[in-house]
Amino acid sequence: MSEPRKTVVVGGGVVGACCAYYLAKAGRSVTVIDAGGFGSGASHGNCGYVCPSHVLPLAAPGAVRTILGVMARRNSPVRLKPSVVMRDPGWFLAFARRCNEKDMMAAAAGIAALLKSSRSLYDAMIRDERIDCDWQAKGLLFAFRTPRAMGHHAEVDRLLRERFDTPARRIEPSELLDLEPALRPGLAGGWHYEGDAHLRPDRLMAELRRVLVEAGATIHERRAALGFVREGGRATAVRTAAGDLPADEVVVALGAWTPLLERDLGVRAPIQPGKGYSTTYRRVESPPALPIIFEEDRVAVTPFRDGYRIGSMMEFVGRDATIDRRRLAVLSKVSARHLKTRTIGDPEEEWSGWRPMTPDGLPIVDRSPSLGNVLIAAGHNMLGLSTAPATGKLAAELLTGTDPHVDPRPYSADRFQSRRDAVGRPEPPIASADA
């Protein structure tokens, strides 16, 4: 009996973990390495949404005007550092070029395939592996302060309903407090996407670690990939400071850090870190029953079994790992404006992390053009947790030669290689890898 093929997964976030999971199920001998801790990056402190409702990419008609308008507001949820734009103008130009209906709908089709697949794969994974991650399939509520915003979302809902079979239930103001008693009165209504779900991300990552170890996988923390040992257009090992790790195949799932391996991968990976924040409390009074997005303020809240998380913000400030407490204060202020919920005591955790943002809103799930046995699985924007199972299953299918369960073409690595989408070189690393 032949030895199983050795697969090294570079990146211990939720995407890397799901790639490792499906590769282990396919019979591979899997090793996961991460420059920080397993599940410690953007996979740790997000709001935990598994949301087929989030089909549309950030790059949409009018998005540039909307973002600039939002940025002009005091305490804006969006921040753009001029030096980041100057360092990588190509990314922002490529994003602006895609803010049209044709490109938006093309990206949305690719996003929808991963979202819908992942929603059902989570059900199966959590059931089969007995994963305890505070999984709740109660849907997701979009709540609105003004009739104008409520009406605008009606057009979004029509698009999701007609083109992506993802309808919401319209909640009138008179029904809103019956659905969610934690809301303050006076809101204009909401839209309830009943097919969405949520979980607690840190518990998911702890459980995935358990599942991987039980399946025989090896996990190395604080072990960064420095490149590859190459032979005849293939990678024979992953180079690390602690020694080379032999590999028959490699998955690169480094999230916002992926561009630092561009030269080794032989492909342009236009991924900007989009910084987000969250605050988590253990003790609360009158918590909401549903996860809620306050769309006009771009703030999200998630109730857990024993806690409550407020999250949001989109900062293009480079790989800045500091926590701006003024941004956390904005989250708390927006939550208090909409909810009766009262937090008790100090936060359990204050967090920030980098979402891996691509100009078109789609990830890269494809082989490296220069190393045929290296697969890239990165650039999932704000949907890494929501799309990780489908990405992991697709990665395993591509590496094992199995028919892919979703069309892989929208996630090709070569779609950014034209001069039209040229991007600047990334800045050198300043911290541990964020997977």
Side-chain angles (χ1 to χ4, degrees):
M1 185 174 177
S2 61
E3 291 289 318
R5 291 176 64 83
K6 296 183 178 69
T7 305
V8 176
V9 177
V10 181
V14 67
V15 172
C18 286
C19 290
Y21 173 74
Y22 285 101
L23 283 160
K25 286 179 73 69
R28 298 307 204 241
S29 173
V30 177
T31 298
V32 180
I33 65 171
D34 194 273
F38 182 87
S40 64
S43 302
H44 174 79
N46 62 74
C47 283
Y49 294 166
V50 179
C51 45
S53 62
H54 283 49
V55 168
L56 300 180
L58 188 61
V64 173
R65 182 176 63 254
T66 300
I67 290 170
L68 292 175
V70 170
M71 285 177 60
R73 286 165 28 193
R74 187 183 177 197
N75 297 327
S76 166
V78 181
R79 183 182 169 206
L80 185 61
K81 197 173 182 179
S83 61
V84 172
V85 180
M86 295 300 293
R87 187 162 55 235
D88 190 3
W91 189 98
F92 296 93
L93 289 172
F95 172 84
R97 278 194 292 265
R98 284 174 168 81
C99 291
N100 61 78
E101 185 172 357
K102 179 181 177 182
D103 285 333
M104 177 189 74
M105 294 302 292
I111 295 168
L114 294 177
L115 285 171
K116 289 193 173 185
S117 171
S118 290
R119 178 63 183 83
S120 61
L121 288 172
Y122 265 120
D123 279 330
M125 182 193 298
I126 289 168
R127 179 193 65 240
D128 295 345
E129 306 297 347
R130 296 180 173 84
I131 290 175
D132 180 10
C133 61
D134 206 359
W135 173 255
Q136 299 181 56
K138 296 181 178 180
L140 175 62
L141 176 64
F142 286 69
F144 295 91
R145 285 186 284 107
T146 66
R148 178 180 180 184
M150 183 74 180
H152 177 267
H153 194 81
E155 289 302 307
V156 175
D157 180 70
R158 181 187 59 78
L159 181 63
L160 299 188
R161 181 184 302 269
E162 294 177 359
R163 299 292 293 272
F164 300 102
D165 191 27
T166 306
R169 183 165 68 93
R170 181 174 182 136
I171 311 299
E172 299 298 339
S174 59
E175 307 171 84
L176 194 57
L177 297 187
D178 292 331
L179 177 66
E180 180 49 81
L183 287 167
R184 293 189 182 278
L187 296 178
W191 296 86
H192 186 204
Y193 287 88
E194 297 170 304
D196 287 8
H198 72 281
L199 52 77
R200 181 149 181 164
D202 52 340
R203 290 190 181 149
L204 171 69
M205 295 308 298
E207 286 286 86
L208 285 175
R209 182 182 192 129
R210 170 187 64 79
V211 170
L212 289 173
V213 171
E214 289 175 355
T218 301
I219 298 172
H220 294 296
E221 298 181 300
R222 290 162 190 83
R223 192 165 181 179
L226 305 177
F228 307 105
V229 178
R230 308 164 70 103
E231 184 178 307
R234 296 175 65 81
T236 58
V238 177
R239 292 192 297 108
T240 79
D244 297 342
L245 287 169
D248 296 307
E249 57 202 12
V250 179
V251 177
V252 175
L254 280 174
W257 289 94
T258 305
L260 302 179
L261 287 179
E262 275 186 340
R263 189 165 296 151
D264 298 88
L265 294 169
V267 67
R268 187 176 293 116
I271 297 174
Q272 276 285 335
K275 188 176 181 181
Y277 291 82
S278 73
T279 305
T280 305
Y281 293 88
R282 182 174 291 277
R283 299 174 61 211
V284 292
E285 286 183 1
S286 304
L290 297 172
I292 309 170
I293 294 179
F294 304 114
E295 185 73 0
E296 290 138 300
D297 297 282
R298 307 295 199 275
V299 169
V301 299
T302 310
F304 298 130
R305 195 165 49 217
D306 58 355
Y308 168 69
R309 179 167 292 166
I310 317 169
S312 183
M313 304 296 168
M314 176 61 74
E315 295 186 342
F316 289 99
V317 293
R319 293 185 179 89
D320 176 358
T322 60
I323 293 180
D324 186 339
R325 300 193 63 80
R326 294 171 297 180
R327 309 297 272 165
L328 297 177
V330 172
L331 297 180
S332 296
K333 189 177 296 184
V334 171
S335 174
R337 183 189 305 152
H338 291 85
L339 291 168
K340 302 170 188 172
T341 303
R342 188 174 76 88
T343 58
I344 302 171
D346 294 330
E348 178 183 359
E349 181 178 29
E350 296 176 331
W351 174 89
S352 69
W354 299 316
R355 310 174 185 99
M357 307 296 292
T358 59
D360 61 1
L362 286 164
I364 299 170
V365 188
D366 197 4
R367 292 180 184 270
S368 157
S370 62
L371 295 169
N373 64 333
V374 175
L375 186 101
I376 307 162
H380 290 73
N381 293 262
M382 295 176 283
L383 298 173
L385 186 138
S386 286
T387 56
T391 298
K393 185 175 182 180
L394 176 60
E397 290 162 344
L398 293 174
L399 286 175
T400 60
T402 307
D403 288 341
H405 77 291
V406 296
D407 183 355
R409 289 176 294 181
Y411 326 114
S412 68
D414 63 4
R415 69 185 194 272
F416 296 116
Q417 306 317 303
S418 69
R419 295 179 63 87
R420 176 176 179 264
D421 283 328
V423 296
R425 298 298 301 175
E427 69 269 29
I430 60 173
S432 64
D434 175 15

mmCIF file with all atom_site columns, all heavy atoms in Angstrom, residues 117-137:
data_model
loop_
_atom_site.group_PDB
_atom_site.id
_atom_site.type_symbol
_atom_site.label_atom_id
_atom_site.label_alt_id
_atom_site.label_comp_id
_atom_site.label_asym_id
_atom_site.label_entity_id
_atom_site.label_seq_id
_atom_site.pdbx_PDB_ins_code
_atom_site.Cartn_x
_atom_site.Cartn_y
_atom_site.Cartn_z
_atom_site.occupancy
_atom_site.B_iso_or_equiv
_atom_site.pdbx_formal_charge
_atom_site.auth_seq_id
_atom_site.auth_comp_id
_atom_site.auth_asym_id
_atom_site.auth_atom_id
_atom_site.pdbx_PDB_model_num
ATOM 1   N N   . SER A 1 117 ? -23.188 26.691 -1.435 1.00 0.00 ? 117 SER A N   1
ATOM 2   C CA  . SER A 1 117 ? -22.549 25.415 -1.133 1.00 0.00 ? 117 SER A CA  1
ATOM 3   C C   . SER A 1 117 ? -22.105 25.366 0.322  1.00 0.00 ? 117 SER A C   1
ATOM 4   O O   . SER A 1 117 ? -22.335 24.369 1.031  1.00 0.00 ? 117 SER A O   1
ATOM 5   C CB  . SER A 1 117 ? -21.353 25.206 -2.058 1.00 0.00 ? 117 SER A CB  1
ATOM 6   O OG  . SER A 1 117 ? -20.598 24.086 -1.652 1.00 0.00 ? 117 SER A OG  1
ATOM 7   N N   . SER A 1 118 ? -21.472 26.444 0.788  1.00 0.00 ? 118 SER A N   1
ATOM 8   C CA  . SER A 1 118 ? -20.961 26.455 2.162  1.00 0.00 ? 118 SER A CA  1
ATOM 9   C C   . SER A 1 118 ? -22.079 26.357 3.184  1.00 0.00 ? 118 SER A C   1
ATOM 10  O O   . SER A 1 118 ? -21.910 25.726 4.242  1.00 0.00 ? 118 SER A O   1
ATOM 11  C CB  . SER A 1 118 ? -20.145 27.723 2.402  1.00 0.00 ? 118 SER A CB  1
ATOM 12  O OG  . SER A 1 118 ? -18.928 27.693 1.687  1.00 0.00 ? 118 SER A OG  1
ATOM 13  N N   . ARG A 1 119 ? -23.216 26.972 2.888  1.00 0.00 ? 119 ARG A N   1
ATOM 14  C CA  . ARG A 1 119 ? -24.331 26.923 3.847  1.00 0.00 ? 119 ARG A CA  1
ATOM 15  C C   . ARG A 1 119 ? -24.750 25.479 4.113  1.00 0.00 ? 119 ARG A C   1
ATOM 16  O O   . ARG A 1 119 ? -24.967 25.087 5.280  1.00 0.00 ? 119 ARG A O   1
ATOM 17  C CB  . ARG A 1 119 ? -25.500 27.747 3.304  1.00 0.00 ? 119 ARG A CB  1
ATOM 18  C CG  . ARG A 1 119 ? -26.754 27.745 4.161  1.00 0.00 ? 119 ARG A CG  1
ATOM 19  C CD  . ARG A 1 119 ? -26.519 28.363 5.536  1.00 0.00 ? 119 ARG A CD  1
ATOM 20  N NE  . ARG A 1 119 ? -27.729 28.292 6.358  1.00 0.00 ? 119 ARG A NE  1
ATOM 21  C CZ  . ARG A 1 119 ? -28.096 27.224 7.050  1.00 0.00 ? 119 ARG A CZ  1
ATOM 22  N NH1 . ARG A 1 119 ? -27.346 26.120 7.011  1.00 0.00 ? 119 ARG A NH1 1
ATOM 23  N NH2 . ARG A 1 119 ? -29.200 27.242 7.778  1.00 0.00 ? 119 ARG A NH2 1
ATOM 24  N N   . SER A 1 120 ? -24.836 24.669 3.059  1.00 0.00 ? 120 SER A N   1
ATOM 25  C CA  . SER A 1 120 ? -25.222 23.272 3.263  1.00 0.00 ? 120 SER A CA  1
ATOM 26  C C   . SER A 1 120 ? -24.058 22.444 3.797  1.00 0.00 ? 120 SER A C   1
ATOM 27  O O   . SER A 1 120 ? -24.263 21.520 4.601  1.00 0.00 ? 120 SER A O   1
ATOM 28  C CB  . SER A 1 120 ? -25.745 22.668 1.959  1.00 0.00 ? 120 SER A CB  1
ATOM 29  O OG  . SER A 1 120 ? -24.753 22.681 0.956  1.00 0.00 ? 120 SER A OG  1
ATOM 30  N N   . LEU A 1 121 ? -22.832 22.772 3.397  1.00 0.00 ? 121 LEU A N   1
ATOM 31  C CA  . LEU A 1 121 ? -21.680 22.023 3.893  1.00 0.00 ? 121 LEU A CA  1
ATOM 32  C C   . LEU A 1 121 ? -21.474 22.250 5.387  1.00 0.00 ? 121 LEU A C   1
ATOM 33  O O   . LEU A 1 121 ? -21.048 21.327 6.103  1.00 0.00 ? 121 LEU A O   1
ATOM 34  C CB  . LEU A 1 121 ? -20.417 22.425 3.119  1.00 0.00 ? 121 LEU A CB  1
ATOM 35  C CG  . LEU A 1 121 ? -20.343 21.936 1.671  1.00 0.00 ? 121 LEU A CG  1
ATOM 36  C CD1 . LEU A 1 121 ? -19.150 22.558 0.965  1.00 0.00 ? 121 LEU A CD1 1
ATOM 37  C CD2 . LEU A 1 121 ? -20.269 20.411 1.612  1.00 0.00 ? 121 LEU A CD2 1
ATOM 38  N N   . TYR A 1 122 ? -21.767 23.452 5.875  1.00 0.00 ? 122 TYR A N   1
ATOM 39  C CA  . TYR A 1 122 ? -21.681 23.687 7.317  1.00 0.00 ? 122 TYR A CA  1
ATOM 40  C C   . TYR A 1 122 ? -22.650 22.771 8.062  1.00 0.00 ? 122 TYR A C   1
ATOM 41  O O   . TYR A 1 122 ? -22.298 22.183 9.094  1.00 0.00 ? 122 TYR A O   1
ATOM 42  C CB  . TYR A 1 122 ? -21.997 25.141 7.650  1.00 0.00 ? 122 TYR A CB  1
ATOM 43  C CG  . TYR A 1 122 ? -20.776 26.029 7.776  1.00 0.00 ? 122 TYR A CG  1
ATOM 44  C CD1 . TYR A 1 122 ? -20.611 27.133 6.943  1.00 0.00 ? 122 TYR A CD1 1
ATOM 45  C CD2 . TYR A 1 122 ? -19.800 25.781 8.739  1.00 0.00 ? 122 TYR A CD2 1
ATOM 46  C CE1 . TYR A 1 122 ? -19.491 27.956 7.053  1.00 0.00 ? 122 TYR A CE1 1
ATOM 47  C CE2 . TYR A 1 122 ? -18.691 26.600 8.861  1.00 0.00 ? 122 TYR A CE2 1
ATOM 48  C CZ  . TYR A 1 122 ? -18.537 27.684 8.014  1.00 0.00 ? 122 TYR A CZ  1
ATOM 49  O OH  . TYR A 1 122 ? -17.430 28.494 8.132  1.00 0.00 ? 122 TYR A OH  1
ATOM 50  N N   . ASP A 1 123 ? -23.870 22.659 7.573  1.00 0.00 ? 123 ASP A N   1
ATOM 51  C CA  . ASP A 1 123 ? -24.839 21.763 8.208  1.00 0.00 ? 123 ASP A CA  1
ATOM 52  C C   . ASP A 1 123 ? -24.264 20.356 8.339  1.00 0.00 ? 123 ASP A C   1
ATOM 53  O O   . ASP A 1 123 ? -24.334 19.731 9.408  1.00 0.00 ? 123 ASP A O   1
ATOM 54  C CB  . ASP A 1 123 ? -26.134 21.716 7.395  1.00 0.00 ? 123 ASP A CB  1
ATOM 55  C CG  . ASP A 1 123 ? -27.056 22.892 7.670  1.00 0.00 ? 123 ASP A CG  1
ATOM 56  O OD1 . ASP A 1 123 ? -27.030 23.417 8.795  1.00 0.00 ? 123 ASP A OD1 1
ATOM 57  O OD2 . ASP A 1 123 ? -27.814 23.264 6.761  1.00 0.00 ? 123 ASP A OD2 1
ATOM 58  N N   . ALA A 1 124 ? -23.680 19.865 7.250  1.00 0.00 ? 124 ALA A N   1
ATOM 59  C CA  . ALA A 1 124 ? -23.153 18.499 7.252  1.00 0.00 ? 124 ALA A CA  1
ATOM 60  C C   . ALA A 1 124 ? -21.922 18.374 8.140  1.00 0.00 ? 124 ALA A C   1
ATOM 61  O O   . ALA A 1 124 ? -21.787 17.408 8.915  1.00 0.00 ? 124 ALA A O   1
ATOM 62  C CB  . ALA A 1 124 ? -22.822 18.081 5.821  1.00 0.00 ? 124 ALA A CB  1
ATOM 63  N N   . MET A 1 125 ? -21.004 19.324 8.046  1.00 0.00 ? 125 MET A N   1
ATOM 64  C CA  . MET A 1 125 ? -19.771 19.268 8.827  1.00 0.00 ? 125 MET A CA  1
ATOM 65  C C   . MET A 1 125 ? -20.057 19.317 10.329 1.00 0.00 ? 125 MET A C   1
ATOM 66  O O   . MET A 1 125 ? -19.512 18.539 11.122 1.00 0.00 ? 125 MET A O   1
ATOM 67  C CB  . MET A 1 125 ? -18.847 20.424 8.431  1.00 0.00 ? 125 MET A CB  1
ATOM 68  C CG  . MET A 1 125 ? -17.512 20.434 9.155  1.00 0.00 ? 125 MET A CG  1
ATOM 69  S SD  . MET A 1 125 ? -16.633 22.019 8.940  1.00 0.00 ? 125 MET A SD  1
ATOM 70  C CE  . MET A 1 125 ? -16.392 22.016 7.164  1.00 0.00 ? 125 MET A CE  1
ATOM 71  N N   . ILE A 1 126 ? -20.924 20.246 10.730 1.00 0.00 ? 126 ILE A N   1
ATOM 72  C CA  . ILE A 1 126 ? -21.243 20.407 12.150 1.00 0.00 ? 126 ILE A CA  1
ATOM 73  C C   . ILE A 1 126 ? -21.943 19.164 12.688 1.00 0.00 ? 126 ILE A C   1
ATOM 74  O O   . ILE A 1 126 ? -21.682 18.723 13.813 1.00 0.00 ? 126 ILE A O   1
ATOM 75  C CB  . ILE A 1 126 ? -22.088 21.684 12.339 1.00 0.00 ? 126 ILE A CB  1
ATOM 76  C CG1 . ILE A 1 126 ? -21.195 22.913 12.110 1.00 0.00 ? 126 ILE A CG1 1
ATOM 77  C CG2 . ILE A 1 126 ? -22.721 21.724 13.721 1.00 0.00 ? 126 ILE A CG2 1
ATOM 78  C CD1 . ILE A 1 126 ? -21.950 24.215 11.987 1.00 0.00 ? 126 ILE A CD1 1
ATOM 79  N N   . ARG A 1 127 ? -22.815 18.578 11.866 1.00 0.00 ? 127 ARG A N   1
ATOM 80  C CA  . ARG A 1 127 ? -23.509 17.352 12.285 1.00 0.00 ? 127 ARG A CA  1
ATOM 81  C C   . ARG A 1 127 ? -22.547 16.165 12.338 1.00 0.00 ? 127 ARG A C   1
ATOM 82  O O   . ARG A 1 127 ? -22.470 15.463 13.358 1.00 0.00 ? 127 ARG A O   1
ATOM 83  C CB  . ARG A 1 127 ? -24.647 17.061 11.308 1.00 0.00 ? 127 ARG A CB  1
ATOM 84  C CG  . ARG A 1 127 ? -25.430 15.796 11.638 1.00 0.00 ? 127 ARG A CG  1
ATOM 85  C CD  . ARG A 1 127 ? -26.332 15.388 10.476 1.00 0.00 ? 127 ARG A CD  1
ATOM 86  N NE  . ARG A 1 127 ? -25.574 15.015 9.292  1.00 0.00 ? 127 ARG A NE  1
ATOM 87  C CZ  . ARG A 1 127 ? -25.678 15.642 8.104  1.00 0.00 ? 127 ARG A CZ  1
ATOM 88  N NH1 . ARG A 1 127 ? -26.503 16.666 7.934  1.00 0.00 ? 127 ARG A NH1 1
ATOM 89  N NH2 . ARG A 1 127 ? -24.945 15.227 7.082  1.00 0.00 ? 127 ARG A NH2 1
ATOM 90  N N   . ASP A 1 128 ? -21.796 15.951 11.272 1.00 0.00 ? 128 ASP A N   1
ATOM 91  C CA  . ASP A 1 128 ? -20.969 14.750 11.169 1.00 0.00 ? 128 ASP A CA  1
ATOM 92  C C   . ASP A 1 128 ? -19.806 14.757 12.152 1.00 0.00 ? 128 ASP A C   1
ATOM 93  O O   . ASP A 1 128 ? -19.413 13.699 12.666 1.00 0.00 ? 128 ASP A O   1
ATOM 94  C CB  . ASP A 1 128 ? -20.431 14.605 9.741  1.00 0.00 ? 128 ASP A CB  1
ATOM 95  C CG  . ASP A 1 128 ? -21.530 14.379 8.721  1.00 0.00 ? 128 ASP A CG  1
ATOM 96  O OD1 . ASP A 1 128 ? -22.669 14.057 9.141  1.00 0.00 ? 128 ASP A OD1 1
ATOM 97  O OD2 . ASP A 1 128 ? -21.262 14.534 7.516  1.00 0.00 ? 128 ASP A OD2 1
ATOM 98  N N   . GLU A 1 129 ? -19.235 15.931 12.398 1.00 0.00 ? 129 GLU A N   1
ATOM 99  C CA  . GLU A 1 129 ? -18.060 16.017 13.276 1.00 0.00 ? 129 GLU A CA  1
ATOM 100 C C   . GLU A 1 129 ? -18.427 16.440 14.697 1.00 0.00 ? 129 GLU A C   1
ATOM 101 O O   . GLU A 1 129 ? -17.538 16.653 15.516 1.00 0.00 ? 129 GLU A O   1
ATOM 102 C CB  . GLU A 1 129 ? -17.040 17.001 12.681 1.00 0.00 ? 129 GLU A CB  1
ATOM 103 C CG  . GLU A 1 129 ? -16.636 16.712 11.246 1.00 0.00 ? 129 GLU A CG  1
ATOM 104 C CD  . GLU A 1 129 ? -15.931 15.366 11.078 1.00 0.00 ? 129 GLU A CD  1
ATOM 105 O OE1 . GLU A 1 129 ? -15.524 14.763 12.105 1.00 0.00 ? 129 GLU A OE1 1
ATOM 106 O OE2 . GLU A 1 129 ? -15.797 14.902 9.938  1.00 0.00 ? 129 GLU A OE2 1
ATOM 107 N N   . ARG A 1 130 ? -19.722 16.591 14.958 1.00 0.00 ? 130 ARG A N   1
ATOM 108 C CA  . ARG A 1 130 ? -20.190 17.009 16.284 1.00 0.00 ? 130 ARG A CA  1
ATOM 109 C C   . ARG A 1 130 ? -19.472 18.276 16.756 1.00 0.00 ? 130 ARG A C   1
ATOM 110 O O   . ARG A 1 130 ? -18.952 18.348 17.869 1.00 0.00 ? 130 ARG A O   1
ATOM 111 C CB  . ARG A 1 130 ? -20.015 15.876 17.293 1.00 0.00 ? 130 ARG A CB  1
ATOM 112 C CG  . ARG A 1 130 ? -20.852 14.645 16.978 1.00 0.00 ? 130 ARG A CG  1
ATOM 113 C CD  . ARG A 1 130 ? -20.631 13.551 18.014 1.00 0.00 ? 130 ARG A CD  1
ATOM 114 N NE  . ARG A 1 130 ? -21.545 12.425 17.818 1.00 0.00 ? 130 ARG A NE  1
ATOM 115 C CZ  . ARG A 1 130 ? -21.324 11.433 16.959 1.00 0.00 ? 130 ARG A CZ  1
ATOM 116 N NH1 . ARG A 1 130 ? -20.219 11.435 16.223 1.00 0.00 ? 130 ARG A NH1 1
ATOM 117 N NH2 . ARG A 1 130 ? -22.185 10.436 16.828 1.00 0.00 ? 130 ARG A NH2 1
ATOM 118 N N   . ILE A 1 131 ? -19.463 19.266 15.892 1.00 0.00 ? 131 ILE A N   1
ATOM 119 C CA  . ILE A 1 131 ? -18.770 20.529 16.170 1.00 0.00 ? 131 ILE A CA  1
ATOM 120 C C   . ILE A 1 131 ? -19.652 21.419 17.030 1.00 0.00 ? 131 ILE A C   1
ATOM 121 O O   . ILE A 1 131 ? -20.797 21.720 16.672 1.00 0.00 ? 131 ILE A O   1
ATOM 122 C CB  . ILE A 1 131 ? -18.398 21.231 14.841 1.00 0.00 ? 131 ILE A CB  1
ATOM 123 C CG1 . ILE A 1 131 ? -17.295 20.445 14.140 1.00 0.00 ? 131 ILE A CG1 1
ATOM 124 C CG2 . ILE A 1 131 ? -17.966 22.674 15.081 1.00 0.00 ? 131 ILE A CG2 1
ATOM 125 C CD1 . ILE A 1 131 ? -16.930 20.971 12.765 1.00 0.00 ? 131 ILE A CD1 1
ATOM 126 N N   . ASP A 1 132 ? -19.125 21.830 18.161 1.00 0.00 ? 132 ASP A N   1
ATOM 127 C CA  . ASP A 1 132 ? -19.828 22.711 19.091 1.00 0.00 ? 132 ASP A CA  1
ATOM 128 C C   . ASP A 1 132 ? -19.299 24.127 18.899 1.00 0.00 ? 132 ASP A C   1
ATOM 129 O O   . ASP A 1 132 ? -18.249 24.489 19.433 1.00 0.00 ? 132 ASP A O   1
ATOM 130 C CB  . ASP A 1 132 ? -19.611 22.242 20.532 1.00 0.00 ? 132 ASP A CB  1
ATOM 131 C CG  . ASP A 1 132 ? -20.329 23.118 21.552 1.00 0.00 ? 132 ASP A CG  1
ATOM 132 O OD1 . ASP A 1 132 ? -21.139 23.968 21.133 1.00 0.00 ? 132 ASP A OD1 1
ATOM 133 O OD2 . ASP A 1 132 ? -20.068 22.969 22.764 1.00 0.00 ? 132 ASP A OD2 1
ATOM 134 N N   . CYS A 1 133 ? -20.014 24.934 18.116 1.00 0.00 ? 133 CYS A N   1
ATOM 135 C CA  . CYS A 1 133 ? -19.533 26.287 17.792 1.00 0.00 ? 133 CYS A CA  1
ATOM 136 C C   . CYS A 1 133 ? -20.650 27.316 17.901 1.00 0.00 ? 133 CYS A C   1
ATOM 137 O O   . CYS A 1 133 ? -20.586 28.371 17.268 1.00 0.00 ? 133 CYS A O   1
ATOM 138 C CB  . CYS A 1 133 ? -18.913 26.318 16.399 1.00 0.00 ? 133 CYS A CB  1
ATOM 139 S SG  . CYS A 1 133 ? -20.062 25.874 15.072 1.00 0.00 ? 133 CYS A SG  1
ATOM 140 N N   . ASP A 1 134 ? -21.676 27.010 18.700 1.00 0.00 ? 134 ASP A N   1
ATOM 141 C CA  . ASP A 1 134 ? -22.801 27.930 18.874 1.00 0.00 ? 134 ASP A CA  1
ATOM 142 C C   . ASP A 1 134 ? -23.525 28.184 17.552 1.00 0.00 ? 134 ASP A C   1
ATOM 143 O O   . ASP A 1 134 ? -23.922 29.311 17.243 1.00 0.00 ? 134 ASP A O   1
ATOM 144 C CB  . ASP A 1 134 ? -22.327 29.246 19.502 1.00 0.00 ? 134 ASP A CB  1
ATOM 145 C CG  . ASP A 1 134 ? -23.440 29.960 20.265 1.00 0.00 ? 134 ASP A CG  1
ATOM 146 O OD1 . ASP A 1 134 ? -24.572 29.435 20.281 1.00 0.00 ? 134 ASP A OD1 1
ATOM 147 O OD2 . ASP A 1 134 ? -23.187 31.037 20.811 1.00 0.00 ? 134 ASP A OD2 1
ATOM 148 N N   . TRP A 1 135 ? -23.688 27.128 16.777 1.00 0.00 ? 135 TRP A N   1
ATOM 149 C CA  . TRP A 1 135 ? -24.363 27.215 15.474 1.00 0.00 ? 135 TRP A CA  1
ATOM 150 C C   . TRP A 1 135 ? -25.844 27.505 15.669 1.00 0.00 ? 135 TRP A C   1
ATOM 151 O O   . TRP A 1 135 ? -26.531 26.806 16.402 1.00 0.00 ? 135 TRP A O   1
ATOM 152 C CB  . TRP A 1 135 ? -24.166 25.913 14.722 1.00 0.00 ? 135 TRP A CB  1
ATOM 153 C CG  . TRP A 1 135 ? -24.923 25.764 13.442 1.00 0.00 ? 135 TRP A CG  1
ATOM 154 C CD1 . TRP A 1 135 ? -26.035 24.999 13.233 1.00 0.00 ? 135 TRP A CD1 1
ATOM 155 C CD2 . TRP A 1 135 ? -24.618 26.350 12.172 1.00 0.00 ? 135 TRP A CD2 1
ATOM 156 N NE1 . TRP A 1 135 ? -26.441 25.075 11.923 1.00 0.00 ? 135 TRP A NE1 1
ATOM 157 C CE2 . TRP A 1 135 ? -25.594 25.899 11.244 1.00 0.00 ? 135 TRP A CE2 1
ATOM 158 C CE3 . TRP A 1 135 ? -23.622 27.214 11.727 1.00 0.00 ? 135 TRP A CE3 1
ATOM 159 C CZ2 . TRP A 1 135 ? -25.592 26.274 9.904  1.00 0.00 ? 135 TRP A CZ2 1
ATOM 160 C CZ3 . TRP A 1 135 ? -23.611 27.591 10.396 1.00 0.00 ? 135 TRP A CZ3 1
ATOM 161 C CH2 . TRP A 1 135 ? -24.578 27.130 9.500  1.00 0.00 ? 135 TRP A CH2 1
ATOM 162 N N   . GLN A 1 136 ? -26.334 28.562 15.016 1.00 0.00 ? 136 GLN A N   1
ATOM 163 C CA  . GLN A 1 136 ? -27.743 28.923 15.111 1.00 0.00 ? 136 GLN A CA  1
ATOM 164 C C   . GLN A 1 136 ? -28.253 29.331 13.725 1.00 0.00 ? 136 GLN A C   1
ATOM 165 O O   . GLN A 1 136 ? -27.709 30.251 13.119 1.00 0.00 ? 136 GLN A O   1
ATOM 166 C CB  . GLN A 1 136 ? -27.939 30.083 16.090 1.00 0.00 ? 136 GLN A CB  1
ATOM 167 C CG  . GLN A 1 136 ? -27.494 29.760 17.513 1.00 0.00 ? 136 GLN A CG  1
ATOM 168 C CD  . GLN A 1 136 ? -27.721 30.907 18.470 1.00 0.00 ? 136 GLN A CD  1
ATOM 169 O OE1 . GLN A 1 136 ? -28.853 31.399 18.594 1.00 0.00 ? 136 GLN A OE1 1
ATOM 170 N NE2 . GLN A 1 136 ? -26.669 31.360 19.126 1.00 0.00 ? 136 GLN A NE2 1
ATOM 171 N N   . ALA A 1 137 ? -29.270 28.643 13.266 1.00 0.00 ? 137 ALA A N   1
ATOM 172 C CA  . ALA A 1 137 ? -29.843 28.911 11.944 1.00 0.00 ? 137 ALA A CA  1
ATOM 173 C C   . ALA A 1 137 ? -31.127 29.713 12.090 1.00 0.00 ? 137 ALA A C   1
ATOM 174 O O   . ALA A 1 137 ? -32.221 29.250 11.739 1.00 0.00 ? 137 ALA A O   1
ATOM 175 C CB  . ALA A 1 137 ? -30.089 27.598 11.210 1.00 0.00 ? 137 ALA A CB  1
#
